[in-house]
Amino acid sequence: MSADLGALAQEALRVAVESVLGKLKEGKRLSTEDIFLLYLATISRELDEIRKEIAETNQRINETNKRIDEVNRRIDETNQRIDSVVQELNRRIDETNRRIDAITQELGRRIDETNKRIDGIYALLLDIQKLLMEIAKKS
């Protein structure tokens, strides 16, 4: 109903302005009401332009919001992929650390065995040296 009233008021204003323009063409003097009608028509036209600009701005805002939503969606997907890669890397690092620990333990065990063998060889060499000294003393 309000839209009908608005359209009716616009039409009444358009007819009144045409009447005032007719007076201007005839060179007649304009009354205060006539000037007021022209001023009102100008304001109405500017309001219509402002409404159109607001509608266009709202449309651009909506389009921008859609693009922002799309960028946010892509960021979320990228973050999910990054999280997946981080989890996989953490898993692989943990596996590598376990393998390094196992190798370290094995190398430590082997070094201990090698040290024991070296100690055994030194003991054997000392025994041989003592034996050689005893043989040398007897000769």
Side-chain angles (χ1 to χ4, degrees):
M1 177 143 171
S2 151
D4 291 339
L5 263 173
L8 185 61
Q10 284 291 91
E11 181 60 23
L13 182 59
R14 187 189 63 77
V15 170
V17 168
E18 285 179 5
S19 171
V20 171
L21 290 177
K23 283 184 181 180
L24 275 176
K25 287 179 184 175
E26 295 173 5
K28 292 183 180 177
R29 190 170 184 91
L30 298 179
S31 68
T32 304
E33 291 81 14
D34 292 337
I35 293 171
F36 177 74
L37 284 172
L38 289 175
Y39 183 65
L40 187 61
T42 303
I43 291 172
S44 176
R45 192 173 315 120
E46 288 178 3
L47 284 175
D48 287 343
E49 289 175 14
I50 290 171
R51 283 187 191 107
K52 287 177 186 174
E53 288 176 10
I54 288 172
E56 289 172 3
T57 301
N58 284 339
Q59 179 64 28
R60 288 174 53 202
I61 289 171
N62 290 339
E63 290 171 5
T64 301
N65 285 341
K66 287 178 186 176
R67 290 197 323 252
I68 289 171
D69 290 344
E70 175 63 20
V71 168
N72 284 338
R73 185 189 62 76
R74 290 174 58 196
I75 288 171
D76 290 343
E77 288 175 359
T78 302
N79 284 340
Q80 288 174 352
R81 289 192 349 238
I82 289 170
D83 290 344
S84 175
V85 168
V86 166
Q87 288 175 352
E88 177 63 18
L89 285 176
N90 284 337
R91 186 189 64 78
R92 292 175 70 183
I93 288 170
D94 289 344
E95 284 178 13
T96 303
N97 285 340
R98 281 192 290 275
R99 287 176 36 210
I100 289 171
D101 290 344
I103 290 171
T104 301
Q105 287 177 353
E106 176 64 19
L107 286 176
R109 186 187 61 75
R110 290 175 71 182
I111 289 171
D112 289 344
E113 286 177 9
T114 303
N115 285 339
K116 287 178 187 176
R117 289 175 61 198
I118 290 172
D119 290 344
I121 291 172
Y122 278 137
L124 182 60
L125 284 175
L126 282 174
D127 289 344
I128 292 172
Q129 189 178 22
K130 286 179 187 176
L131 186 58
L132 287 175
M133 288 174 80
E134 286 177 19
I135 293 174
K137 280 185 189 178
K138 289 183 181 179
S139 354

